[in-house]
Amino acid sequence: MPSEEFDSAAAAFRRTGEDAVTHARRVAGNAKARTHRHHSENAELLKRHGRGAKSGDPTPGTLRAAAERFRRARGLAVPAVPDPADSVPSRSQSTARAPRTGDEDEDFSQMRIMKRDD
């Protein structure tokens, strides 16, 4: 009978939709939990190490030595390492920018534009 086929098709469609909604909710819940976990880990790292705190040597000596051994073992060139103090100036040493001059200094306020026609 056609009505039984329709009823079974409708029930199958409804189950498929419910399964899709259940799956979407599970995926969204997992993503939300993962985001919360990453946020907590980042907050903990900020507490431990602070924001923008940098050591004097960007690459620890043990990592640098391991990289040199790796390069030497494969016959690659080992570049000379610049002194960290010379490579990147600290924020306190950076030069301040000079104020811009030109179009940025013009006054485009409404009152000035309205009075221009006088």
Side-chain angles (χ1 to χ4, degrees), residues 52-90:
K54 295 183 176 117
S55 65
D57 187 8
T59 307
T62 55
L63 291 178
R64 190 175 309 282
E68 288 178 10
R69 284 192 308 272
F70 176 85
R71 287 175 169 267
R72 286 193 206 318
R74 283 156 183 80
L76 300 171
V78 179
V81 180
D83 184 24
D86 295 337
S87 62
V88 179
S90 68

Side-chain angles (χ1 to χ4, degrees), residues 12-90:
F13 182 74
R14 188 172 21 250
R15 275 192 310 274
T16 302
E18 289 170 355
D19 290 346
V21 169
T22 301
H23 177 72
R25 287 181 179 159
R26 186 179 313 124
V27 169
N30 289 342
K32 193 172 185 179
R34 185 173 49 245
T35 299
H36 181 69
R37 187 178 69 243
H38 287 294
H39 179 73
S40 298
E41 289 171 358
N42 287 342
E44 181 60 33
L45 286 172
L46 278 173
K47 282 181 191 175
R48 243 187 289 156
H49 300 290
R51 185 176 303 250
K54 295 183 176 117
S55 65
D57 187 8
T59 307
T62 55
L63 291 178
R64 190 175 309 282
E68 288 178 10
R69 284 192 308 272
F70 176 85
R71 287 175 169 267
R72 286 193 206 318
R74 283 156 183 80
L76 300 171
V78 179
V81 180
D83 184 24
D86 295 337
S87 62
V88 179
S90 68

